[in-house]
Amino acid sequence: MSMRAIEQGIGNVAGAIEAFHADFTYSFSLLVEQMRIQNGLLAALIDKLDAIHNTLKSPTATQAREFYQIGCERLSRGLLDKAMNALQKSAELNDTDFFTQFQMGKLYLYGINDDDNVVDLAKAKGHLLEAARYAKAEAAIDPTFLRLAAQACLHASIAAYAGIDENCQATRNVALLKEADSLASRALQYDPELGEAFFHRAKYCALLNEPNTTSLLKSAIQLDRD
């Protein structure tokens, strides 16, 4: 009974943080992802996809999923480098799995704590774009995957934005801003109700001195006043 209460409490906290869209603060994103794993919010989609693709009939695919689950378990404990090792092994066995590519992308983007730092912006963007591609390919099975593709594009956008360096040439930084805005726009094509994408587009457009910043902010507020 006590363990069940703890699990329910974790789920409630995860839901509360999601409701406040903690992704607006980058440092919270990995915490939200850990809670999402603990709460099993992706478990149903994983089971559905594995059943359709007959994963259990393929020893290689089964092993890849096992490494993915090991990576998620390690991530939930904050063992970032060990989580990455397991996810990399999963990707070696099945490099077209959305879930593995998505977790690797977010870990490369947000993976820093007191003990580990696995951040690599170039790898983050690469894995997240691959995740978006594979999610789009699964949309025929479940439309939810389009929303996941949008999330992958949004975080790829953030990876591009995070690469801006005030000590570099202005032309390089402008190019990264335009790339970030393009990726956020692609996220909205997959999920027009993704308020965070409007928020980030507004930020990019403000930095690019473009005139549609206010309208983008209005759209973000209309979708999510928080």
Side-chain angles (χ1 to χ4, degrees):
M1 290 293 291
S2 297
M3 288 303 296
R4 183 175 299 177
I6 292 171
E7 291 176 359
Q8 184 177 2
I10 290 174
N12 291 339
V13 172
I17 291 179
E18 285 288 301
F20 280 106
H21 294 285
D23 281 7
F24 279 155
T25 305
Y26 300 163
S27 60
F28 284 161
S29 185
L30 189 61
L31 174 63
V32 172
E33 190 63 27
Q34 290 171 356
M35 289 185 172
R36 183 181 289 117
I37 292 166
Q38 292 170 354
N39 204 27
L41 298 180
L42 295 179
L45 271 180
I46 291 173
D47 291 342
K48 181 176 183 178
L49 199 64
D50 286 351
I52 291 173
H53 292 319
N54 291 319
T55 295
L56 296 179
K57 295 181 180 180
S58 168
T60 301
T62 300
Q63 190 177 11
R65 182 61 71 219
E66 288 174 351
F67 276 119
Y68 168 81
Q69 297 292 358
I70 290 170
C72 289
E73 188 274 332
R74 291 174 177 176
L75 177 58
S76 71
R77 291 188 286 143
L79 302 174
L80 307 186
D81 58 337
K82 300 301 182 183
M84 183 62 78
N85 289 342
L87 291 171
Q88 287 172 339
K89 291 178 181 178
S90 177
E92 289 172 2
L93 294 166
N94 182 6
D95 61 353
T96 62
D97 180 62
F98 161 79
F99 302 100
T100 301
Q101 296 293 334
F102 188 57
Q103 294 292 3
M104 290 179 70
K106 292 197 74 174
L107 195 49
Y108 273 126
L109 181 55
Y110 302 109
I112 184 170
N113 61 17
D114 291 338
D115 299 313
D116 301 308
N117 183 350
V118 297
V119 171
D120 186 316
L121 297 179
K123 290 182 179 179
K125 185 170 65 175
H127 285 290
L128 288 165
L129 290 177
E130 287 293 285
R133 177 187 177 193
Y134 303 142
K136 184 181 177 182
E138 304 293 358
I141 295 174
D142 191 319
T144 303
F145 276 100
L146 279 182
R147 294 174 57 192
L148 294 174
Q151 287 285 339
C153 286
L154 175 61
H155 290 290
S157 167
I158 293 170
Y161 173 70
I164 293 173
D165 187 345
E166 62 181 9
N167 296 318
C168 293
Q169 291 183 345
T171 53
R172 174 188 176 275
N173 289 337
V174 169
L176 285 171
L177 272 175
K178 289 183 176 179
E179 180 185 15
D181 186 45
S182 176
L183 289 169
S185 297
R186 190 191 305 179
L188 288 170
Q189 292 176 6
Y190 295 139
D191 183 2
E193 296 187 356
L194 184 58
E196 293 94 331
F198 281 108
F199 172 80
H200 285 289
R201 278 211 66 204
K203 178 168 57 180
Y204 307 146
C205 289
L207 292 169
L208 290 167
N209 199 29
E210 294 185 359
N212 57 335
T213 300
T214 303
S215 62
L216 290 168
L217 284 173
K218 286 180 179 179
S219 296
I221 293 169
Q222 288 171 354
L223 288 166
D224 183 355
R225 293 194 65 84
D226 291 324

